[in-house]
Structures are given as structure tokens and as C-alpha cells.
Amino acid sequence: MNSLIRLVTLCVATLAAVPVVADDLRWSGFGTVGYARSGNEFRYQRFIDSDGTLTRDSLFGVQADAVLTPEVSATVQVRLAPAGNSDEEWNVRLPWAFLSWRPSNELTVRGGKLRIPMLLYSENIDVGTTFPFARLPIEIYSILPTWDFYGLSVGRNWMPGNLDVDLDGFAGWAHGTWRVHLRDAPPQLGVQPGSWYEGISGAFVGAILTVREAESRYRFAALAWDAQLDTLQFGVDYPYVQVAPGVGYYQVDNRLPGPGVQMKDRIRFYTLSAGLEQELQAGFRLVGELAWRRSERIGLASGTNSLGSYLALLKPIGSWTPYIYGAALRSSDHARTLYSSLDRSRLPAAVPGAAVVNASQTGAADSALVFDQRTVALGATYAVGRGQVVKAEWQRTRIGLVSAFYDAPLGVSSGGQKIDVFSLSYNFAF
Amino acid sequence: MRRERICGLLLLALIWSLLVPLAHAGEVVLIGHPALPRLDRETVERIFTGKVVEVGGIRVTPIDMPVGDAVRNRFLVRWLGKDEEHYTAYWTVRRYVGKGVPPQEAANTAEVIRLVTTRPGCIGYIDEAELRAGLNVVAR
């Protein structure tokens, strides 16, 4: 609570100070009131279940842009949204709080709290009127645990012929969270079943190339992040401990009997992405993105090595824009094999300590954060006025082996689940 | 005979009244601070979309007419190839990706003329019918 008060105070002080030094101060705001409901009893994407929720997609923000000198401007954005580290709370954050220096047409330098511009819509992910879907496909937009960072961004622009080319380099420090849902876990090892948010933070560096031609846009990005987990540790390898012929378990914790497991709490991610927005014949529009994530230092025990993608076809017709997209997210073969091995690993109840061991196997399988899912979505947006858009969407997600986005209870596997989600939202920006 | 002449004059007046406003409605001219050079269409488009902030070493500041203004609508279509909806949507995205804010809006033509004549780097647009001696026409 104290940190919230400090943050609100900081926001108010910052926003109040801007007019004093600004030549030109502009205020703007945005928001989404979004309802989502699935046909499933258990939660998907943190909040969506058969009870329906306003929490998954709703948020509100205010932004101040101030011109301090002809070359220097300041931007502060304050956002009220469901907390990134709690299923219950909302909080106030500053996604943007930066100074921008643009000494010429070609060069822009920004420093402060910024957004990682890796994907087509990752900078404006909170502003529903600025992207064409009811909800950005989670198969891609979960590729990083946060889109916010503290640091520096340097952009260079060229405009050869009809092209508009931007090359942006950025570096800084980011802190985010990964939500982990454990169906089971042994309290004896200090872990409880249920959901929690694992903090992850560290320094990163990245580069982005964006090419625009008329209404089409192409983006390629690369990012490396050397991150440390707050509490969670992954085993470099989980040795198999044989109890009897055909009976055994994986040593996922050094407190379990076994030869010992080397645990790591640092991960170096490499993420590559490519995206396009392409004008087609007859007014159709194609939007697609692909992101590949690979981590180092973790040999076996992580589902973070993954490939996500989506491809959408849109057709603006007056105020309407109907769309359809298909999306997929799949962890590496290695990660899926690991998950299967851990999930199937069971000691007979007659073996002393079997309950603890079996719970540890399930807990380790779930904490590996493995994904294997495909989604098809059908929706439409309707511009009801200047800066106001209503969106409706139906999407069906089929989970293959497992999806860490689905809160399966003990005894139920997320594997093979079919999730239908209906979403309706009102989005505004002014 | 006299009746036919009157009808002919009325017809001529009607055609004139229809054609004259159309002729004026077609012309939106870009005016700028006296130090600014002539600009081509591409540069004008890039200035009003925030991609160009400097021309010939001079920092430029575009000035828009207010939303709904007829001259603004004609300018957007003829110089930027956008309608109001697309222009607003373009700037909404640009604002929320942290790349700046839309041009300042003047209340009317008189304010555009005042700004471009008094503030270095200012560029605005007016109906050609509002042109007067001494204004620096940077593009037409």
C-alpha cells in the first residue's frame, strides 16, 4: 500500500510539474471496458472462466505530452489496470515516463521508462483503439514477461523513396512477472499448490528494424535478456532416481533423495520476431507476427524455449472491420518431453514419502511453463465515433499437451482442453 | 423575347453561383514563416505526420485547423491522402507509441496567418481565397 501511495504521489508530482516547464502541454486518455467469458469452469489467461470477468481486458490511462524545447519533449502515462503480480488487485503504474530528444529528422533519443517496441503492437498494447483485435493474441504477446523497461532507446530514420525505415536500438533493465499455477506441490519443500507470480528481472539489449510503405508495415526485432528469477529455480538436468525396477522419480529438488541436481535462477533469453501488416487487393489486410524464444543456461527444465505466431485477415467495410485469425504457441520438443516425463512420474503410494515425491513431480512439471495450444478467433470491430471502438470476438483455443495459461486443478490436465471465449469491449481514446 | 433573356441570365447566375465556390473549394495553399523555403508535397505530408521536424536547418511546427473545418478536411484529402478518421487514428497510434502529438490546432484562418507570420518555423494551410500579399506560400 505504501508503494502505491508513493507511486501515486510521484505521478501527481510529475504531472503537476510538467506544465511549469512546458511550452506545449497536451493531455490525452484511453481506456477499455472489456467483458470476457468462457465455457470452462477453470480460469484461462488468469481471469476468464464461465463466471465471466471484466478484469481481463479493462484498464484506464492518462497521458501527458509536453514540449519542453523544440528538440526535447516529455511523456508521462499513468495506467490503472489489473496488477501484473496479483489475481485480485488493480494497481497504478507508469508504462511511459521518458524524455525524448529529437535533434534532427533522422535521430531520436529517448530515456526513462519506456516500452519494448519488439512486436507490432507492444508499445500501444494498452490502447484498444489502436489495434484491430478484441485482445492481442496471447500466443505472441506473452513472449516476454513484461513490455516495460527502464533505459535508453536510440532511433535512426531514413526515408528512401516511398519507404520509411526506422532502426531502433535499446538497452536497459526490466522487471516483470511470470504467473505460475501449480496443480500440486509439496508443502514440505516450501511450495504450495495454487497460483503465484514469480518475479524476473535483469538487463537486456535489443534492436528493431521497421519498414513502412504506404499503409504496409514490416518489423524485425532481436532481443537478449539476462534475467534472474526472484525465488524459482530450474534444474539444469533432473536426474532419474530408480527406487525399484520400473519404479522411480526425477530429483527436482535437492531435498529429495538422489545424486543431486544443479539448480539455476538465471536465464539468458534470446528472442527474435518478425511482423507484417500488409495491404492486399480488394481492401483486405493481412496482419501476422512470429516470435521465437530461446533460453540459455537451462538445459532441461524449462518451457521457455518456444515459437509463437498468428496470422490475421481483416476487411475494413465502412465503420466495420471483421477479422479472423489463427494463432499457435508451442514450447520446444525438449520442454514438452520434460513436461510429459515429470507429469507421468508417479511412485506407488506404498513407497515411503510417495506423496511428497509425487507432488514434487507435478509441481515441477507445472513450473516448467510449457505451452502447446492453437487458437482460432473470429471477431469484428465497429467504430462508433471519433476515438471510440466496440469490439466483439469469439475464439476457440485447443490445448495440445498442456498450456500454462490454463489453471487446471489437481487431477485434471489442461491437455486436450477446448476453451471457447466470448469477448465484448468498449474502447476509447481522446 | 424579354422573358427568354431573363431566364438565360438566371441560368447563367445559377451556374456561376455553383462554379465559383467549387473553384475556391479546390484550393488549399500552404503558408509558412517568411524564412521557410518552398516545399514539395512529400515534405508537406511528412511534416504533418511528424516524420520531418526540420527543413533546411529550420525547426518546423505544423499548424492544423480544428477538427471538422472544411479547409482541414480538404487539406487532409488532397495533401495527405487521408480522411479525418484515418488522420486521427494515425496520430492516436503515434501518440501512444511515444512518438509525439498531433499538430497544434489554430482556431481559424486568422490565427493560422498570425502564427505563421510571427513564429519561426510555423507552417499552416488556408483556403486560397484567404491569401493576401506578404504571405509566404510554401506549397500549392
Side-chain angles (χ1 to χ4, degrees), chain A residues 70-328:
Chain A
E71 290 83 22
V72 179
S73 61
T75 297
V76 178
Q77 186 185 101
V78 182
R79 184 200 63 195
L80 173 67
N85 59 359
S86 166
D87 285 356
E88 314 300 331
E89 297 175 6
W90 286 51
N91 64 13
V92 177
R93 308 287 291 178
L94 291 178
W96 292 114
F98 65 87
L99 287 173
S100 174
W101 178 54
R102 193 172 176 196
S104 66
N105 293 330
E106 295 81 20
L107 184 66
T108 304
V109 179
R110 299 190 292 177
K113 181 90 179 284
L114 296 159
R115 275 266 158 103
I116 300 172
M118 186 148 189
L119 301 179
L120 290 175
Y121 309 111
S122 56
E123 292 162 290
N124 46 309
I125 193 170
D126 293 328
V127 187
T129 59
T130 62
F131 52 80
F133 313 118
R135 183 180 311 108
L136 290 166
I138 197 166
E139 285 81 359
I140 277 278
Y141 282 83
S142 62
I143 205 81
L144 292 178
T146 181
W147 295 107
D148 300 338
F149 76 100
Y150 299 89
L152 199 65
S153 159
V154 179
R156 177 81 166 81
N157 175 266
W158 296 267
M159 289 186 277
N162 291 330
L163 297 180
D164 183 1
V165 181
D166 285 303
L167 181 63
D168 292 279
F170 54 93
W173 182 90
H175 178 268
T177 52
W178 260 328
R179 185 173 181 275
V180 183
H181 177 79
L182 304 185
R183 287 166 295 163
D184 200 4
Q188 296 88 337
L189 300 183
V191 190
Q192 299 289 340
S195 303
W196 95 92
Y197 287 82
E198 178 66 22
I200 178 168
S201 54
F204 70 90
V205 63
I208 289 152
L209 177 68
T210 307
V211 180
R212 294 179 186 82
E213 184 181 22
E215 297 298 315
S216 296
R217 179 165 65 135
Y218 314 93
R219 176 168 285 187
F220 306 91
L223 178 143
W225 189 9
D226 191 7
Q228 178 152 16
L229 298 161
D230 281 356
T231 63
L232 196 63
Q233 293 193 325
F234 291 122
V236 171
D237 196 0
Y238 292 145
Y240 188 73
V241 180
Q242 187 167 310
V243 176
V247 178
Y249 63 91
Y250 293 91
Q251 188 187 12
V252 297
D253 190 295
N254 281 314
R255 285 166 289 188
L256 293 175
V261 53
Q262 186 188 358
M263 304 299 283
K264 295 279 190 181
D265 61 1
R266 294 184 75 88
I267 307 175
R268 179 174 292 164
F269 291 108
Y270 296 102
T271 305
L272 298 175
S273 67
L276 70 85
E277 288 178 309
Q278 174 77 49
E279 292 289 308
L280 302 176
Q281 297 291 320
F284 281 94
R285 193 167 175 78
L286 192 69
V287 180
E289 293 188 85
L290 182 140
W292 177 77
R293 182 175 63 188
R294 179 166 178 78
S295 56
E296 264 188 5
R297 299 189 184 179
I298 303 294
L300 176 67
S302 168
T304 54
N305 292 351
S306 59
L307 181 67
S309 62
Y310 73 88
L311 191 64
L313 186 66
L314 303 90
K315 169 69 173 167
I317 308 165
S319 298
W320 290 91
T321 304
Y323 65 86
I324 183 169
Y325 76 73

Side-chain angles (χ1 to χ4, degrees), chain A residues 413-425:
Chain A
S413 170
S414 64
Q417 296 283 343
K418 181 184 76 180
I419 309 161
D420 287 324
V421 177
F422 174 72
S423 306
L424 182 66
S425 65

